[in-house]
Amino acid sequence: MSVKPHLAWLIVVVIFITAAPVAAYQSTTKKEDEAKAREERRKQALGMTDEIIKNAQALRLPENRLRLLLAAASAVWSADEKRAHLLIKSAQESLNELQAAIDSHDPQYASLDSLVAQLRQEMLNTVAQQDPELALEMLHAMPQRNGGQPPSASFEAQLELQLAQRLASKDAARALDLGERGLAKGVSYELLNLANTLHATNREAGQKLFDDILARLQTENFATNRVAIYVALNLLREWSQPHNPADEPEANNTRFMLSDQAARNLCGTILSAVLDNSTSTSMRVPAGSTFDMLRQLQPMLPAIEKLQPTQAATLEARLADMQRFNEMQNGPWVKVQEMIKTASVGEMVSAAGNWPPEMQNYLLQTAAWKAYNDGNTEQARQIIEEKITDPRIREQMQENIERQKVERLIGEGKISEARALLPRLASDPERISYYIRLATAALSKGNKQEAEQLLNEALAVAGGRAENYQMLYAQLMIANTYRALDVSQSSAIIESAIDRLNQLTAAAATLNGFDVQQYFRNDEFVLSNGNPLNQLLQQIGAQLSGVAEQDADRARALADRVERLEMKTWLLLRMLPALLSESGSSSTESLQLSPRRFSQVTPMMLTGPVLEKR
């Protein structure tokens, strides 16, 4: 049966009218569900914050309490600023407690006093990220300890200028005033950074500070302020480098550039300080710095000849003297370096026999790499196998070439070819790192099956129970990538690492004061002190943060497996930002792990320190 045209159009209209409210309802429902989920996560995070505060108050070490409270304040600041301020106040009380408890007769007095200064700076940095003005108030209200001596004026001035940079976008006048106060104490990199920061938000204020810096450099006392001459050199170097005219408008919007006249004046000041013995003592560079100044001026010689032609000849003579001195000090190495710049591969190989063994090896290695980089792999192989006699160096060169092949194939997106070369690499951590990079590349192409195969191969190399920190870090990096495929498999790996953390922590507690030093104090693990166990805790925390983005309850259950209260509380802290984010990462987002994000996972990251006897 046929449908008349006008009836067909009527059916379409009816369907559209009926479907439109359904679609609108579904969209509204989805937004409401997302809002409810965000609010639930927010409540969960704030409840966890209360638990963190309670746990922190139960700890014995003031520095542990302070670091936990600071991190909690930073995490909840945007969600509950009032609570964040209370946490900062509690952290200050812990700092005061630690400072008051320091006994000048304690054998660890110097390290504890240094710890107070470090914690003070951590507190200021945390507050400055959210409220620079409050951080300035705290800076002035909490004088720096310096072994019982008055605070270091230069250190305090640096902190003040760093805070002024954060304040620049909110209050340019206040930031400029702080800059001028700092300039009265001498030119510094912080001042130049402040001028550039102001330049981006308030051009007039930035220009004023920059002009005042240039004026101060003309009269600065380089004998007492060594930083000033390096600031001047950096400004001159930036001016002397060729600029693309198309890029200059953008550069001028972000950084100050010297005018030609200002460059001429600054160049004269620098040359007088470095070369002219008639210059007043205060304007000369400190003894021992002249060679370093000359090395930095050498690449700028063409620009200096245009700016200060009368002084350029003197500079050239001094540079020639420096070159002769270097040749006397370094002997034939200078000539070898010159040969490398100009000689062909064949010329380097032929000349190698004329040099002592150590230089001969250096020339041959350089020749092999030059051949390889020129695309002549066979010539590189012949040099390595036939010319290099040291078996250790020969093996290292062969491994490096295999590594370069893998890198090239990864860069070309040839995952299968790169994968086939990985068994040739000698280091397990390095192989694991490459498996992870290849899995990430496969994920970016949407090939989840190949990514899973690569991660399974990485797990096979990593083994089961990790016997050293290298393998623990490797397993956690595998878990990090696995999370994009299967959060339960990722969690299983993290769970195994947490169990190992508990075992290592118990062993370290037993050995503390015997074979292990400074892991525990007053029977409490010292957070953030850089030991291998702490590094492992940080790695686990990073993984739990990622799990919390997808499954907060699962992440919480993993954290609860940690036996020590201070460690568990630190892991809860690492989860807070994920719970307080506007939206957790969806499965689609988690699959889009870019190579850039994962480029941080390198073989060096998988070679962490091993717990050793000391």
Side-chain angles (χ1 to χ4, degrees):
M1 182 180 69
S2 62
V3 180
K4 293 182 179 180
H6 68 279
L7 289 177
W9 280 109
L10 180 61
I11 292 171
V12 170
V13 170
V14 170
I15 291 173
F16 176 79
I17 292 172
T18 305
V22 173
Y25 171 77
Q26 290 175 339
S27 176
T28 302
T29 302
K30 182 180 179 182
K31 290 180 180 178
E32 289 176 351
D33 289 344
E34 289 175 351
K36 287 179 181 178
R38 282 197 301 270
E39 181 59 25
E40 182 60 33
R41 290 165 70 90
R42 181 180 179 277
K43 289 180 180 178
Q44 189 175 3
L46 294 179
M48 191 178 289
T49 303
D50 290 336
E51 181 180 353
I52 289 167
I53 295 169
K54 180 181 177 181
N55 291 351
Q57 297 301 340
L59 299 180
R60 287 181 287 274
L61 295 182
E63 62 264 41
N64 277 353
R65 292 201 302 273
L66 183 146
R67 285 194 164 114
L68 290 167
L69 293 170
L70 272 184
S74 180
V76 305
W77 202 297
S78 58
D80 191 341
E81 186 172 340
K82 182 177 179 181
R83 182 180 300 207
H85 278 264
L86 292 173
L87 288 168
I88 292 296
K89 183 178 179 181
S90 296
Q92 282 183 278
E93 292 170 356
S94 293
L95 183 67
N96 293 337
E97 178 186 341
L98 177 62
Q99 184 168 315
I102 296 177
D103 183 354
S104 59
H105 300 292
D106 190 326
Q108 296 185 350
Y109 170 74
S111 62
L112 290 172
D113 195 66
S114 176
L115 176 62
V116 169
Q118 179 185 341
L119 291 170
R120 172 180 178 267
Q121 188 166 357
E122 288 178 20
M123 184 181 300
L124 292 172
N125 288 338
T126 298
V127 176
Q129 292 173 17
Q130 306 292 341
D131 190 340
E133 191 63 54
L134 175 60
L136 277 168
E137 293 176 11
M138 292 173 62
L139 172 68
H140 299 143
M142 297 189 305
Q144 176 201 13
R145 287 178 59 98
N146 186 22
Q149 302 301 315
S152 166
S154 61
F155 181 75
E156 296 294 280
Q158 288 177 19
L159 282 178
E160 190 171 78
L161 290 172
Q162 289 168 10
L163 294 174
Q165 286 182 58
R166 294 185 178 276
L167 190 63
S169 60
K170 298 180 180 180
D171 190 343
R174 173 88 165 116
L176 175 60
D177 179 61
L178 291 167
E180 297 289 356
R181 283 175 49 185
L183 184 58
K185 301 169 186 174
V187 174
S188 65
Y189 284 115
E190 287 79 13
L191 274 168
L192 191 59
N193 291 336
L194 176 57
N196 283 309
T197 303
L198 278 170
H199 178 54
T201 58
N202 188 307
R203 192 178 185 86
E204 183 179 351
Q207 188 67 55
K208 169 93 169 52
L209 182 58
F210 186 70
D211 291 342
D212 290 345
I213 290 171
L214 293 180
R216 175 65 185 249
L217 283 172
Q218 299 298 317
T219 59
E220 185 64 279
N221 189 331
F222 297 135
T224 58
N225 185 359
R226 298 189 175 200
V227 173
I229 189 69
Y230 287 101
V231 171
L233 280 166
N234 282 343
L235 288 171
L236 186 61
R237 185 183 300 108
E238 286 187 8
W239 179 90
S240 67
Q241 291 171 347
H243 298 283
N244 183 346
D247 294 338
E248 285 186 5
E250 182 180 351
N252 289 337
N253 285 331
T254 57
R255 292 186 65 82
F256 282 109
M257 298 298 294
L258 294 173
S259 66
D260 290 352
Q261 184 57 50
R264 187 171 293 107
N265 294 340
L266 191 61
C267 182
T269 300
I270 293 170
L271 293 177
S272 295
V274 176
L275 304 175
D276 191 356
N277 290 330
S278 64
T279 303
S280 66
T281 304
S282 66
M283 287 296 293
R284 294 181 202 161
V285 297
S289 300
T290 304
F291 264 35
D292 187 35
M293 300 290 111
L294 290 171
R295 278 191 290 268
Q296 296 203 39
L297 287 168
Q298 189 169 22
M300 295 185 269
L301 187 57
I304 292 171
E305 288 173 341
K306 296 177 181 178
L307 293 172
Q308 295 289 344
T310 57
Q311 289 179 292
T314 305
L315 175 60
E316 285 188 83
R318 293 290 295 277
L319 289 172
D321 290 341
M322 183 181 73
Q323 182 68 22
R324 285 191 291 272
F325 180 80
N326 284 338
E327 290 178 1
M328 291 172 58
Q329 290 289 313
N330 298 316
W333 280 108
V334 176
K335 294 180 181 179
V336 170
Q337 293 295 334
E338 287 298 323
M339 179 188 299
I340 288 170
K341 292 178 185 177
T342 58
S344 66
V345 172
E347 288 170 339
M348 281 191 278
V349 172
S350 299
N354 301 325
W355 297 96
E358 66 276 8
M359 293 182 188
Q360 185 178 120
N361 278 328
Y362 180 70
L363 265 176
L364 290 171
Q365 289 177 66
T366 305
W369 277 116
K370 183 175 177 61
Y372 179 81
N373 291 328
D374 289 344
N376 198 333
T377 306
E378 180 58 27
Q379 186 182 24
R381 185 192 63 77
Q382 287 179 345
I383 293 171
I384 294 170
E385 294 181 358
E386 299 174 10
K387 299 293 183 181
I388 296 178
T389 57
D390 187 326
R392 182 180 55 85
I393 295 177
R394 190 166 57 242
E395 183 179 350
Q396 288 176 351
M397 290 286 292
Q398 289 168 337
E399 287 181 7
N400 283 334
I401 284 184
E402 293 298 329
R403 194 176 293 113
Q404 289 297 317
K405 288 179 183 177
V406 174
E407 291 286 352
R408 176 171 51 80
L409 290 169
I410 292 175
E412 295 172 357
K414 298 177 180 178
I415 297 175
S416 297
E417 291 93 327
R419 179 181 184 179
L421 294 179
L422 295 188
R424 300 185 191 179
L425 300 177
S427 165
D428 284 347
E430 190 171 26
R431 286 207 302 275
I432 292 169
S433 175
Y434 279 121
Y435 276 123
I436 291 171
R437 287 178 61 185
L438 291 173
T440 303
L443 280 172
S444 68
K445 294 181 177 181
N447 194 337
K448 294 192 283 185
Q449 183 177 359
E450 185 173 23
E452 186 171 8
Q453 291 173 356
L454 286 159
L455 290 176
N456 287 338
E457 290 177 37
L459 272 176
V461 176
R465 183 177 184 271
E467 296 300 330
N468 54 54
Y469 282 104
Q470 288 179 320
M471 286 299 106
L472 269 173
Y473 295 152
Q475 289 174 358
L476 287 171
M477 292 301 99
I478 295 169
N480 186 69
T481 314
Y482 231 126
R483 195 169 63 248
L485 292 167
D486 183 353
V487 70
S488 61
Q489 175 66 22
S490 173
S491 300
I493 300 171
I494 297 170
E495 182 177 320
S496 174
I498 288 174
D499 291 343
R500 203 75 178 102
L501 172 72
N502 287 331
Q503 295 166 1
L504 292 170
T505 304
T510 301
L511 292 172
N512 191 59
F514 293 88
D515 292 322
V516 173
Q517 302 296 330
Q518 299 178 348
Y519 280 41
F520 295 82
R521 193 160 62 248
N522 293 343
D523 196 31
E524 188 171 295
F525 184 75
V526 180
L527 297 171
S528 301
N529 69 349
N531 61 54
L533 268 181
N534 200 282
Q535 293 176 31
L536 177 58
L537 180 66
Q538 302 305 319
Q539 293 270 354
I540 292 172
Q543 302 312 315
L544 288 188
S545 176
V547 173
E549 291 178 354
Q550 297 174 255
D551 189 337
D553 292 334
R554 187 189 295 270
R556 174 60 201 251
L558 286 168
D560 283 340
R561 293 185 66 87
V562 177
E563 294 171 355
R564 294 196 71 95
L565 180 66
E566 60 272 30
M567 286 183 162
K568 171 187 168 182
T569 307
W570 184 259
L571 294 179
L572 295 179
L573 265 172
R574 295 300 302 272
M575 294 163 52
L576 281 183
L579 295 177
L580 289 168
S581 64
E582 283 299 309
S583 60
S585 296
S586 67
S587 58
T588 303
E589 289 172 332
S590 63
L591 287 175
Q592 296 174 353
L593 296 173
S594 68
R596 185 175 185 182
R597 176 181 173 184
F598 225 81
S599 64
Q600 298 174 6
V601 184
T602 64
M604 190 165 289
M605 284 188 68
L606 302 182
T607 55
V610 178
L611 187 64
E612 297 177 344
K613 292 185 177 182
R614 299 187 179 184

